[in-house]
Amino acid sequence: FGEPKGFSEGLLLIEEVTPSNNHIGSYFVNTDGELLTDARGKFLYRDARPFSDGLAPVRLRSHLPWKQAWLFIDHSGRKAFSQSFDNALPFSDGLALVRQSQQWFFVNKKGERVTDYFDRADSFYEGLAWVKKNGEEYFIDRSGRRFCS
């Protein structure tokens, strides 16, 4: 059974669940009812988050824990760039918040790291993001420059 999670950029994110409401995986359907598939014809991801700025973070299905990385796909279902991450959130203000090796940082749409590493962080909103590093909390702008404490 699929549970709609909402439209983003013309694609409906659906979470597949068992009758007892256990998560099976996630997939996208376009407005014509067609499944968004990757280059291998696969459509079911372990997890997925909404599209934003033309890309969506998805976690591939694998029985190997170290292969359950998050990556970004485009509207055609292809990988947007080669990097993968331990966690990834949708793009906001042109940057995505990702985690690798217990450190959070922001990447651009090419998958390039554009900020320092942080202990915790929130996605950008109206040009600013809250971050925490070494116990200190402050805001940064899209270039990673400290905006205010």
Side-chain angles (χ1 to χ4, degrees):
F1 302 94
E3 181 179 324
K5 292 297 183 181
F7 271 98
S8 60
E9 299 186 5
L11 292 163
L12 178 62
L13 173 58
I14 297 177
E15 183 179 332
E16 191 74 18
V17 294
T18 64
S20 59
N21 211 27
N22 292 322
H23 179 78
I24 296 172
S26 301
Y27 57 94
F28 294 96
V29 176
N30 67 21
T31 55
D32 295 326
E34 302 165 330
L35 293 171
L36 178 68
T37 59
D38 66 14
R40 300 167 298 155
K42 305 283 184 180
F43 68 89
L44 189 63
Y45 301 101
R46 180 164 180 80
D47 285 304
R49 296 188 171 127
F51 273 88
S52 179
D53 291 348
L55 302 175
V58 298
R59 188 161 56 145
L60 299 178
R61 297 182 63 78
S62 174
H63 63 284
L64 305 171
W66 61 90
K67 286 199 167 203
Q68 294 185 8
W70 287 85
L71 53 94
F72 287 86
I73 60 169
D74 62 20
H75 283 249
S76 68
R78 288 190 278 273
K79 283 174 63 169
F81 41 81
S82 61
Q83 294 84 339
S84 61
F85 309 97
D86 296 336
N87 200 347
L89 299 177
F91 275 83
S92 177
D93 286 358
L95 299 175
L97 179 59
V98 298
R99 188 183 76 211
Q100 191 72 0
S101 302
Q102 303 303 317
Q103 294 290 299
W104 292 92
F105 56 99
F106 292 91
V107 296
N108 62 21
K109 289 174 68 174
K110 295 178 184 177
E112 302 164 329
R113 183 174 64 87
V114 296
T115 65
D116 199 1
Y117 295 99
F118 304 103
D119 301 322
R120 293 187 58 204
D122 281 338
S123 295
F124 275 89
Y125 178 73
E126 295 186 6
L128 295 177
W130 171 87
V131 297
K132 182 176 183 178
K133 184 174 182 172
N134 299 324
E136 188 177 1
E137 299 179 36
Y138 51 96
F139 290 93
I140 60 169
D141 64 16
R142 293 183 68 248
S143 70
R145 185 175 51 89
R146 183 183 282 213
F147 187 74
C148 59
S149 298

